[in-house]
Amino acid sequence: MKRAVYPGTFDPMTLGHLDILKRSSMLFDEVILAVAKSEKKSTLFSIEERTDMAKIATQDIKNIRIVPFSCLLVNFMQRMDSQIVIRGLRAVSDYEYELQLALMNRKLDPKLDTVFLMPSQQYIFLSSSMVREIASLGGDVSKFVPPVVYERMVKRLGFPPENPCGGQN
Ligand code: ADP
């Protein structure tokens, strides 16, 4: 039984994350989407909200589980009895950080390997931080996130605003 773990902050989950998750679910028997608590980043949604949205958005994918975590990834991997980390690679800009992370994780636990998957081209420039920024300025992010995430973002941020530029021309 090959089990892989796809860790991230998922603040919030985007269609890019979903693309990587679907691809990995076809490659492995079970994929655990691991939602990181994230101490250093202040998140828009709490870990409970991010986990809940991910569960709803992935209901139709059979062989996945959504599990929140707040410890070091290598320890979580052992707890989940998995040695395969999934990460998404977008543009070249992701490469250096992801390489560092993968090699550091392997130093901490030599049995770990990271598998990089590329999303469909339309998601190459999509990131959670960009979605949060566009939404916070009243832009429409419905094309970039699953419906449940869009609904919760509208509730949280109250967009689209009636007068986005504050009455200026
Ligand atoms: P981080 O907070 O470390 O950036 P995220 O939670 O945003 O992590 O994302 C988790 C993983 O998903 C990372 O490997 C990231 O590169 C990948 N990812 C995020 N957005 C996309 C996307 N649009 N296409 C492919 N992979 C993505």
Side-chain angles (χ1 to χ4, degrees):
M1 157 104 170
K2 279 261 172 268
R3 179 182 294 138
V5 173
Y6 178 27
T9 317
F10 306 106
D11 184 40
M13 172 175 266
T14 68
L15 296 183
H17 293 129
L18 213 48
D19 179 290
I20 297 295
L21 186 65
K22 284 183 182 157
R23 287 172 198 283
S24 47
S25 77
M26 287 188 265
L27 294 173
F28 298 98
D29 298 312
E30 185 180 42
V31 179
I32 292 171
L33 183 116
V35 183
K37 183 153 187 226
S38 188
E39 300 292 352
K40 68 172 195 273
K41 296 187 216 166
S42 69
T43 56
L44 175 62
F45 292 102
S46 70
I47 184 158
E48 292 81 14
E49 291 171 315
R50 285 179 276 133
T51 305
D52 188 45
M53 284 187 279
K55 277 187 184 159
I56 297 171
T58 57
Q59 267 164 352
D60 58 333
I61 315 174
K62 292 280 168 286
N63 55 334
I64 63 149
R65 264 197 289 156
I66 315 289
V67 182
F69 77 110
S70 55
C71 59
L72 196 60
L73 181 64
V74 291
N75 296 335
F76 181 74
M77 297 297 294
Q78 282 161 8
R79 184 140 62 85
M80 293 293 115
D81 194 21
S82 168
Q83 282 150 19
I84 305 154
V85 179
I86 308 274
R87 296 289 285 178
L89 265 193
R90 287 161 290 190
V92 189
S93 50
D94 275 346
Y95 177 76
E96 198 164 339
Y97 173 70
E98 292 292 342
L99 177 73
Q100 261 184 36
L101 203 65
L103 293 180
M104 181 50 80
N105 281 331
R106 187 188 274 163
K107 255 213 158 82
L108 294 172
D109 183 348
K111 290 194 296 299
L112 283 192
D113 260 311
T114 303
V115 172
F116 293 104
L117 294 175
M118 277 145 217
S120 164
Q121 261 186 34
Q122 74 218 74
Y123 304 130
I124 283 283
F125 297 108
L126 182 56
S127 66
S128 296
S129 56
M130 206 178 286
V131 165
R132 291 196 306 272
E133 194 170 336
I134 294 169
S136 72
L137 294 171
D140 179 7
V141 293
S142 58
K143 287 191 284 297
F144 308 129
V145 295
V148 60
V149 172
Y150 181 70
E151 279 162 28
R152 305 269 174 109
M153 289 193 90
V154 170
K155 254 192 211 151
R156 175 65 47 90
L157 298 169
F159 62 87
E162 275 171 23
N163 190 1
C165 289
Q168 296 155 14
N169 288 322

